[in-house]
Amino acid sequence: MVRQRPELTGWDWVHDVRRALGDVSVDDISEVARAFANPPPGVTFTIFVSTDANLGTWARAMDFEFVRRRHLCAPTPEAALALLERHRAAISPVPSSM
């Protein structure tokens, strides 16, 4: 999707993966990171909605694969949006358009 619409690399993303099935490999993450390789200036965020305690470690590791993109986890969609707002407010005085 971001290869067809490169401006999406500058968006913040919230992914609810609580019902996801299957595994994601390091190669899968690297492929997605390559699609996000040329983002616009500024920090962006991906927040995974999950109660998996191990996903936070994977999210932190993903930070090193992506250019100017932070990966975080939250247990609910509401918590993810609140987390995004806190992180956005810390880097910009203008709130995001959530």
Side-chain angles (χ1 to χ4, degrees):
M1 181 170 45
V2 297
R3 287 189 176 116
Q4 293 172 345
R5 293 190 53 202
E7 72 275 10
L8 298 179
T9 63
W11 288 19
D12 295 321
W13 294 72
V14 174
H15 291 286
D16 189 339
V17 296
R18 292 176 293 178
R19 293 185 179 165
L21 301 174
D23 293 324
V24 176
S25 71
V26 172
D27 290 338
D28 295 330
I29 298 300
S30 294
E31 182 177 343
V32 174
R34 283 191 297 275
F36 279 77
N38 295 306
V43 177
T44 55
F45 297 92
T46 295
I47 302 179
F48 297 103
V49 177
S50 176
T51 55
D52 179 347
N54 295 317
L55 188 56
T57 302
W58 274 104
R60 179 70 179 123
M62 284 184 237
D63 289 351
F64 298 101
E65 290 280 332
F66 289 74
V67 178
R68 293 186 304 278
R69 179 168 288 276
R70 296 268 328 273
H71 297 81
L72 306 164
C73 296
T76 65
E78 296 80 12
L81 292 176
L83 182 61
L84 178 58
E85 290 296 333
R86 282 195 308 275
H87 280 273
R88 276 270 145 239
I91 62 172
S92 172
V94 178
S96 68
S97 60
M98 290 277 122

